[in-house]
Amino acid sequence: MSEVLPPLELSSRVCEHARLTRDVRFDGLFFTAVESTGIFCRSVCPAPPAKAANVRYYASAAAALAAGFRPCLRCRPEAAPLASPWRLRNALVTGALQLIDDGLLDRAPIATLAARVGVGERQLRRVFAATLGASPVEVAATRRLLLAKQLLDDTTLPVTDVALAAGYGSVRRFNTAFRAAYKMAPRELRRTRRPTTGEGVHLRLPCRAPFDFAGLLAFFRQRAMPGTETVDAHSYARAFSWGGENGTLRVGKHADEAALDVHVRHPQVRALPDVIACVRRLFDVDTDARAVADVLRRDPLLAPLVKRHPGIRLAGGWSGFEMAVRAVLGQQISVAAARTLVGRLIARWGQPLGAPQGELRCVFPTPEALCDADVGAIGLTRKRAETLRGVARALVDGHVDFRPEQGLDAFVTTWTALPGIGPWTAHYLAMRAFGHPDAFPAADLVLRKVVGGTTPVTTNQLERRAAAWRPWRAYATLLLWRAASAQ
C-alpha cells in the first residue's frame, strides 16, 4: 500500500458509537476493555454495555492483554476477523505483521524480524507501539494464545496437540501463558467433550463481511489445477505438502455469513498455523471490502461493478511458486489452455498424494523438480520452457522470492529482471502470490479494452485512469475481468 497515505485511525468517539451499537463493521478493528471487570471484548460483544467511564479502547488484542486485561469468554476475541495489515497504511508494520503471521517469531528472535524489514529493534518496537499499542513479541504471543483458545473451543484435539499446533514449545509453556491470560487452566474449558467430527481438524475461520465467496469459487473453478485442486458448487479442496508430508484441505462457506469452514487432514498438528495462514491469503478473508468499495465506487465505470459484486476479494495462491508457474504457462494463451498445461505438468512431476482422495492425487511440483526438467514435453515452446526452468532456478538460488516485507516496486523490479518475465506477469504474481492490493497489470489487453470501450486505451492512459483507484487497483482489476467475462 502507498506509504504516502496517513495512518488510518479510529477516534474514541467512533469506537464508542460502534461499541454501543455493536456495529459489526468494526469487529476486530479495535477492542474494548472494562476496568471494573478486567476483561476486554470485541465491539460486538452481546454483554450489556459498560459505563463509558470504565471503558478503554485498544488497537489490538495484544495491547489489551499487555495492559493486563483478560479475553472475554462470551464474545471470544479469537473469533473476531483479523484487521488486514494493509489497512494500517504503514509498509513497515504491514511487512512485519505478515512475517509474524508466517511464524517468524516462533523460530527466530526479534532481531531477525527487525533485520528482515530493514530497521533496528528499537525502531521496530517504537513503530509497533505507536500503531498497535504492543510490541512485535506481544503481538506474536497474543496470536499464538488466541489460536490455542480457538482450537480448544472448536476442535477435539488433545491439549498437548493444541499446544504444539499453536506454536508453543511445550505444554508447560502453554499452560503458563493460558493461565496468565484467562486465569484458568486450558482443561477447564474442556469440561464437556465435543463429539469427534471425523478424521482431521475442523476449524471456523472468521472473515470480514461482506464476503463474495461465490465469486472466489468461480475464479478458482476456472483455474483449478487437475489432480491438485478441485472446486465444486460449495467448496474448494486441494492437496498440499508440509514438513515433508502430504495432506489435504477443504474450505466451504459456514452457515454463519461471516466465516469459512476449514477441514484439514495432515499427520502433523504443527502444520495448522501455516495452513491457516495460507487459507487466509488464498481467500483474502481479512480485507475490509467496504473500504475498497468506498474508493472504487467513485469511478463511474467501477461503481455498478462494485454494487453488483459486493465483498470482492483478491483471489490468492497457495504458494508463490505455484502462481509463478501458472503465470508463465498462461502467457498469451487462454485460461482453459493454461489449465491443460498445468495438469500435464502436475501429472508428470507432481508428488503422489499417497491414497488419492477423490480427484486429489498429486501435490504440486517443487522448484527443485523443475529446474532441469524437460518441461517442453508438455507442449511448451522452447522459450517458454526456458522461462519456466529459469524461474525455478531463480527461486532455488534465492535470486527472487515472495518475502512479504518487500514493497511492490522492489518485487516487480526483481522479477522483471528474469528472462521472459515482464511487468504483466510480475504484477499478476504480486496480486495472487504476494497478495498486494495495489498490484496492477496495466498492460493487460482485457483491462484496456474494458476501460476503452470500442478502442482500447494505451497502457499509459490506463495507468493514469487507475491512479484514482489506489491503493486498491488489484481489486479493480478483478472487477474489470469479471465484467469482461460476463460480456
Side-chain angles (χ1 to χ4, degrees):
M1 189 173 289
S2 175
E3 286 117 2
V4 302
L5 292 171
L8 194 60
E9 297 179 352
L10 295 174
S11 67
S12 296
R13 180 183 59 81
V14 171
C15 292
E16 179 72 2
H17 183 268
R19 176 180 74 91
L20 295 176
T21 59
R22 298 187 177 93
D23 193 331
V24 69
R25 295 176 300 172
F26 294 87
D27 190 15
L29 300 185
F30 72 91
F31 293 88
T32 300
V34 182
E35 292 181 326
S36 57
T37 63
I39 293 173
F40 77 90
C41 303
R42 298 159 61 183
S43 62
V44 295
C45 185
K51 294 180 180 179
N54 293 329
V55 171
R56 295 168 64 182
Y57 296 110
Y58 290 94
S60 65
L65 272 171
F69 295 92
R70 64 184 186 276
C72 177
L73 294 177
R74 185 171 181 181
C75 68
R76 298 181 55 196
E78 74 276 4
L82 292 180
S84 171
W86 298 107
R87 177 184 176 277
L88 298 172
R89 308 191 180 194
N90 184 306
L92 172 63
V93 178
T94 295
L97 282 174
Q98 289 175 311
L99 288 170
I100 290 171
D101 285 342
D102 288 343
L104 179 62
L105 289 184
D106 292 336
R107 57 183 183 272
I110 189 174
T112 301
L113 176 62
R116 288 281 297 268
V117 297
V119 298
E121 290 182 50
R122 181 178 299 178
Q123 172 67 2
L124 183 62
R125 289 191 183 96
R126 184 162 51 244
V127 173
F128 260 68
T131 308
L132 297 172
S135 71
V137 171
E138 289 168 337
V139 169
T142 299
R143 296 199 174 186
R144 192 182 308 124
L145 176 74
L146 295 183
L147 173 58
K149 173 63 164 53
Q150 181 185 7
L151 294 175
L152 286 169
D153 276 335
D154 296 348
T155 77
T156 57
L157 286 174
V159 171
T160 299
D161 285 349
V162 168
L164 294 176
Y168 290 93
S170 68
V171 177
R172 181 182 59 80
R173 288 182 59 193
F174 171 48
N175 284 331
T176 300
F178 198 89
R179 281 184 179 277
Y182 286 94
K183 311 306 178 189
M184 65 173 66
R187 285 182 172 81
E188 292 185 49
L189 290 174
R190 288 278 180 87
R191 292 192 181 98
T192 57
R193 293 288 295 177
R194 293 172 178 78
T196 53
T197 53
E199 184 183 353
V201 175
H202 295 260
L203 291 170
R204 178 182 180 275
L205 186 63
C207 52
R208 193 167 298 284
F211 186 82
D212 185 14
F213 184 68
L216 278 172
L217 284 188
F219 187 93
F220 291 139
R221 188 180 301 114
Q222 283 187 308
R223 295 159 178 81
M225 299 182 292
T228 295
E229 294 177 309
T230 62
V231 183
D232 59 29
H234 305 289
S235 65
Y236 165 93
R238 69 166 294 123
F240 68 94
S241 180
W242 189 94
E245 296 186 271
N246 298 335
T248 61
L249 165 84
R250 183 172 295 276
V251 181
K253 191 71 166 59
H254 196 276
D256 178 354
E257 280 291 317
L260 300 179
D261 277 327
V262 182
H263 181 201
V264 183
R265 293 183 178 181
H266 194 276
Q268 300 186 45
V269 294
R270 290 182 184 272
L272 281 176
D274 286 344
V275 170
I276 293 170
C278 285
V279 173
R280 301 195 84 90
R281 180 174 61 246
L282 190 66
F283 286 86
D284 192 19
V285 299
D286 301 319
T287 285
D288 186 347
R290 292 182 176 89
V292 176
D294 285 345
V295 173
L296 299 187
R297 67 162 59 100
R298 299 170 191 167
D299 189 303
L301 175 64
L302 296 176
L305 301 179
V306 170
K307 184 177 181 179
R308 192 178 309 151
H309 306 294
I312 187 75
R313 285 306 197 272
L314 188 56
W318 185 260
S319 78
F321 181 59
E322 281 187 12
M323 290 299 97
V325 171
R326 290 298 307 270
V328 171
L329 293 180
Q331 289 173 342
Q332 299 177 342
I333 61 174
S334 68
V335 171
R339 187 171 181 267
T340 298
L341 290 176
V342 78
R344 294 173 184 170
L345 188 86
I346 291 170
R348 184 155 181 173
W349 290 285
Q351 179 184 357
L353 183 59
Q357 296 187 23
E359 297 179 28
L360 300 179
R361 300 181 301 276
C362 293
V363 172
F364 196 83
T366 63
E368 291 81 2
L370 299 185
C371 281
D372 299 306
D374 180 20
V375 291
I378 65 172
L380 299 182
T381 64
R382 181 183 59 81
K383 185 175 181 181
R384 193 67 47 80
E386 277 300 315
T387 296
L388 190 56
R389 284 192 292 267
V391 166
R393 290 193 202 100
L395 280 165
V396 170
D397 294 340
H399 297 314
V400 293
D401 54 50
F402 296 94
R403 291 177 297 114
E405 71 270 23
Q406 61 187 310
L408 177 61
D409 292 342
F411 179 87
V412 170
T413 298
T414 302
W415 277 84
T416 52
L418 297 180
I421 303 296
W424 184 95
T425 303
H427 275 272
Y428 183 82
L429 282 180
M431 285 174 56
R432 299 206 56 202
F434 193 36
H436 202 292
D438 204 35
F440 186 58
D444 187 83
L445 180 58
V446 173
L447 295 180
R448 294 192 289 114
K449 283 182 176 180
V450 174
V451 172
T454 55
T455 305
V457 297
T458 67
T459 299
N460 287 338
Q461 287 173 328
L462 181 56
E463 286 180 333
R464 288 195 294 270
R465 172 79 174 265
W469 306 341
R470 304 192 76 168
W472 310 113
R473 293 183 302 176
Y475 294 88
T477 297
L478 289 181
L479 284 171
L480 294 171
W481 280 346
R482 286 181 74 167
S485 65
Q487 292 176 354

